[in-house]
C-alpha cells in the first residue's frame, strides 16, 4: 500500500488530503504539554516571593527546564528519523507528569530544579515526534498543518498568566500539582495518536524503509543549505531571546514601573502570549500563499517599532504594543520549522528538534543571561535593551527564496 507511505518526498494523490482530526488532537496535546511547561515561569512571582530567589536563580530554573529540552530534542529527532517511535509520545508526557507532581511538592530550590528537569525531558521527547505526526497528517498543506500543531503549544504557553492569577496566586506552589490531571489527559490522547502513527508505519514498512534510506543522503546536500540553516537558526535565536525576556521578566517590570499587582501584570503577559498564539496560527496559511521567506522577513522587521517603544510608553499603549509585537513576531514560528524541514527533506524530526529545540535552548541561555543583566544594570535598562533584538531580523533578506530551496531539492535528487 504505497499510498500510505510515511513522510513521502512527494505525496501520492491519496495522501494529499489533510487529516484534520489527527492535527487537532496532536495540537490539543501540544497545548496540554506546553500549558504544563508554562506553570514553571508562571510560578516565578510565587517563588520569588516565598523563597526570596534572585533573578539569576529564576533564570537558572528556566535554563534547567529549557536546556534539557534543547539538548535532547535534536537527539530524539535524529534517532526517530532512523527508527520512528510512536509510543515515545505518551512516554514523554509521563515524564512531564512526574515532573509537575514533584514541582507542586518541592520543598527546596534543588528539588524545584530536579522537577523541571523531568518536565524538560518530557518536552524533548514529545516535540520532535509531535511535529512528525503533524507532517504525516498534513497532506499538501504543510504550513497550515504545522500552524495547527504549533498554535496548540503557543496557546498552552499563553495560559501561564491565567494559571498564575487563578491557581497559583490563591493556592501557592502546591497548585502546580493540579496539573497532573492535565498531564494524564494528554497521555490518554497520545496513546490514541500513537496507535494511529503505528498503524501508518505497519501499513507500508518496505516503502518507509526505502524512503528513509534514500532521503537520509540529503542531509548534507550542499554548503548553501548549511549556510541557510545557520541563518534560520540565528533568526530563531533572536526571536526566542526577545520572547524569553518578555515572558520571564516583563511582569516584574510592569509591577515596578506601573505599580501593578501580580494579577494585573499577568494581563500584559497574557496579551503578548495570546496574540503570539494567534500569530502562529495565521503564519502557516499566509506562508502557503505568500511564501515562507516573505513571512519570516515580515515577522522580524515589522516587530521592531513596537519592541523598541514598549518600555517608553504609558501602560495602556504598552499593552497595545505588546499585542501587536506578539502577533507579528510569532507569525514566523511554524514557518521557520517548515522552511527547515523543506530545506533538509527526509530529516523531519531532526529539523524540528533543531528549530524548536534549539529555540528552547537559546531561550534558556537567554533567561540566564537576561536575568544576570537585570541584576547587573537593573531590570528597566535590560527591558529597554531587549527591544533592539528584532533588528537581527535584517539577515532574513539573505535567505534564499522558496523557489530556490525547491531547486536545491531537485538538484540533490
Amino acid at each position: 500500500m504505497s499510498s500510505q507511505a510515511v513522510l513521502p518526498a512527494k505525496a501520492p494523490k491519496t495522501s494529499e488530503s489533510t487529516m484534520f482530526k489527527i492535527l487537532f488532537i496532536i495540537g490539543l496535546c501540544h497545548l496540554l504539554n506546553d500549558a504544563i511547561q508554562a506553570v514553571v515561569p508562571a510560578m516565578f512571582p510565587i517563588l520569588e516571593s516565598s523563597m526570596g530567589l534572585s533573578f539569576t536563580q529564576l533564570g537558572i530554573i528556566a535554563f534547567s527546564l529549557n536546556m534539557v529540552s534543547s539538548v535532547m530534542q535534536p537527539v530524539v529527532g535524529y534517532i526517530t528519523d532512523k527508527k520512528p517511535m510512536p509510543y515515545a509520545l505518551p512516554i514523554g508526557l509521563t515524564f512531564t507528569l512526574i515532573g509537575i507532581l514533584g514541582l507542586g511538592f518541592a520543598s527546596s530550590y534543588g528539588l524545584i530544579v530536579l522537577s523541571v528537569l523531568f518536565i524538560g525531558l518530557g518536552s524533548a521527547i514529545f516535540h520532535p515526534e509531535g511535529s512528525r505526526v503533524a507532517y504525516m497528517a498534513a497532506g499538501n498543506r504543510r504550513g497550515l498543518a504545522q500552524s495547527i500543531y504549533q498554535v496548540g503549544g503557543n496557546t498552552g504557553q499563553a495560559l501561564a498568566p491565567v494559571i498564575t492569577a487563578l491557581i497559583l496566586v490563591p493556592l501557592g506552589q502546591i497548585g502546580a500539582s493540579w496539573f497532573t490531571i492535565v498531564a494524564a489527559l494528554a497521555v490518554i490522547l497520545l496513546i490514541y495518536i500513537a496507535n494511529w502513527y503505528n498503524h501508518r508505519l505497519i501499513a507500508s514498512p518496505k516503502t518507509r524503509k526505502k524512503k528513509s534510506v534514500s532521503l537520509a543522503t540529503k542531509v548534507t546536500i550542499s554548503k548553501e543549505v548549511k549556510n541557510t540553516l545557520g541563518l534560520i537558526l540565528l533568526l530563531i535565536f533572536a526571536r526566542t531571546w526577545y520572547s524569553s525576556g518578555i515572558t520571564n521578566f516583563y511582569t516584574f517590570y510592569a509591577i515596578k514601573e506601573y505599580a501593578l499587582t501580580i494579577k494585573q501584570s499577568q494581563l500584559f503577559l497574557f496579551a503578548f502570549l495570546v496574540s503570539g498564539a494567534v500569530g502562529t496560527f495565521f503564519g502557516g496559511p499566509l506562508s502557503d500563499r505568500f511564501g515562507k521567506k516573505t513571512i519570516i522577513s515580515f515577522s522580524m522587521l515589522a516587530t521592531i517599532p513596537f519592541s523598541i517603544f514598549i518600555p517608553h510608553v504609558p501602560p495602556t499603549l504598552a499593552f497595545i504594543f505588546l499585542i501587536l509585537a506578539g502577533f507579528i513576531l510569532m507569525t514566523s514560528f511554524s514557518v521557520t520549522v517548515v522552511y527547515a524541514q523543506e530545506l533538509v527533506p527526509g530529516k523531519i524530526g531532526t529539523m524540528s528538534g533543531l528549530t524548536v529545540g534549539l529555540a528552547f535552548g537559546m531561550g534558556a541561555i537567554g533567561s540566564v543571561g537576561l536575568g544576570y543583566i537585570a541584576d547587573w544594570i537593573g531590570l528597566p535598562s535590560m527591558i529597554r535593551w531587549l527591544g533592539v533584538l528584532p533588528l537581527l531580523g535584517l539577515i532574513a533578506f539573505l535567505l534564499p527564496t522558496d523557489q530556490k530551496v525547491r531547486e536545491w531539492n531537485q538538484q540533490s535528487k
Side-chain angles (χ1 to χ4, degrees):
M1 296 177 65
S2 60
S3 63
Q4 297 293 321
V6 176
L7 307 184
K10 184 175 181 180
K13 182 176 290 186
T14 56
S15 296
E16 292 296 324
S17 60
T18 303
M19 305 187 69
F20 286 103
K21 178 181 178 180
I22 297 299
L23 289 174
F24 289 141
I25 294 175
I26 195 64
L28 176 59
C29 291
H30 199 182
L31 184 154
L32 297 176
N33 178 83
D34 283 27
I36 295 171
Q37 282 187 263
V39 172
V40 177
M43 287 184 67
F44 280 3
I46 307 298
L47 296 175
E48 190 266 347
S49 173
S50 63
M51 291 188 171
L53 303 182
S54 68
F55 289 126
T56 301
Q57 287 177 307
L58 294 175
I60 290 173
I61 293 174
F63 178 88
S64 301
L65 171 68
N66 295 331
M67 185 52 69
V68 170
S69 178
S70 169
V71 171
M72 292 301 296
Q73 275 196 50
V75 174
V76 172
Y78 178 79
I79 293 172
T80 55
D81 278 333
K82 290 187 173 182
K83 182 178 177 57
M85 300 177 184
Y87 292 96
L89 288 164
I91 291 172
L93 256 293
T94 301
F95 280 107
T96 300
L97 188 153
I98 294 171
I100 197 63
L101 184 62
L103 186 62
F105 293 97
S107 58
S108 67
Y109 180 70
L111 289 176
I112 288 174
V113 172
L114 180 61
S115 296
V116 301
L117 287 175
F118 272 92
I119 297 173
L121 179 60
S123 175
I125 296 172
F126 170 80
H127 280 95
E129 285 297 84
S131 184
R132 189 191 308 278
V133 168
Y135 188 97
M136 292 167 65
N140 59 359
R141 305 177 74 178
R142 293 177 184 171
L144 174 62
Q146 197 64 222
S147 281
I148 292 173
Y149 170 67
Q150 297 295 351
V151 78
N154 287 355
T155 302
Q157 294 169 21
L159 292 176
V162 178
I163 291 169
T164 300
L166 299 183
I167 299 178
L168 298 180
V169 169
L171 296 180
Q173 181 182 342
I174 198 171
S177 63
W178 284 31
F179 289 87
T180 54
I181 300 172
V182 175
L185 175 60
V187 170
I188 293 171
L189 291 173
L190 286 174
I191 290 173
Y192 173 83
I193 290 290
N195 287 332
W196 172 84
Y197 183 172
N198 190 54
H199 177 75
R200 290 289 297 266
L201 297 181
I202 294 173
S204 57
K206 293 182 180 180
T207 304
R208 175 178 59 82
K209 183 175 181 181
K210 181 179 178 181
K211 292 287 185 182
S212 63
V213 171
S214 63
L215 290 174
T217 60
K218 299 179 182 179
V219 177
T220 56
I221 50 178
S222 69
K223 182 179 179 180
E224 289 83 358
V225 167
K226 293 180 180 178
N227 291 338
T228 302
L229 186 58
L231 293 176
I232 281 290
L233 292 177
L234 184 57
L235 288 168
I236 290 173
F237 296 165
R239 183 185 68 209
T240 304
W241 278 37
Y242 180 77
S243 298
S244 177
I246 295 295
T247 301
N248 292 320
F249 300 110
Y250 188 80
T251 55
F252 297 106
Y253 176 85
I255 291 170
K256 182 177 181 180
E257 296 297 312
Y258 303 140
L260 303 180
T261 65
I262 291 179
K263 286 187 177 181
Q264 289 170 335
S265 70
Q266 296 301 308
L267 291 175
F268 284 71
L269 181 56
F270 183 68
F272 177 78
L273 293 172
V274 168
S275 62
V278 176
T280 297
F281 176 77
F282 282 102
L286 288 172
S287 71
D288 286 337
R289 179 170 183 177
F290 298 107
K292 298 173 187 64
K293 177 181 177 179
T294 300
I295 299 303
I296 292 171
S297 302
F298 168 80
S299 75
M300 297 297 295
L301 299 179
T303 301
I304 294 172
F306 304 109
S307 66
I308 289 177
F309 284 108
I310 283 172
H312 304 283
V313 296
T316 301
L317 203 53
F319 185 85
I320 295 172
F321 281 8
L322 280 167
I323 292 174
L324 294 172
F327 177 87
I328 296 170
L329 186 67
M330 297 306 289
T331 53
S332 66
F333 191 90
S334 61
V335 182
T336 49
V337 177
V338 177
Y339 189 96
Q341 289 175 339
E342 295 186 354
L343 191 65
V344 190
K347 289 295 180 181
I348 305 306
T350 304
M351 289 302 102
S352 174
L354 283 174
T355 53
V356 180
L358 277 183
F360 278 113
M362 288 304 102
I365 295 173
S367 295
V368 175
L370 293 172
Y372 177 79
I373 292 172
D375 286 333
W376 178 38
I377 66 174
L379 183 63
S381 296
M382 185 274 281
I383 293 294
R384 285 193 290 270
W385 280 106
L386 185 68
V388 306
L389 270 176
L391 283 171
L392 286 174
L394 290 169
I395 67 173
F397 289 115
L398 300 176
L399 293 174
T401 63
D402 296 28
Q403 178 60 35
K404 189 67 176 178
V405 171
R406 285 192 289 269
E407 290 176 2
W408 286 347
N409 290 340
Q410 290 296 324
Q411 292 170 4
S412 64
K413 292 180 179 179

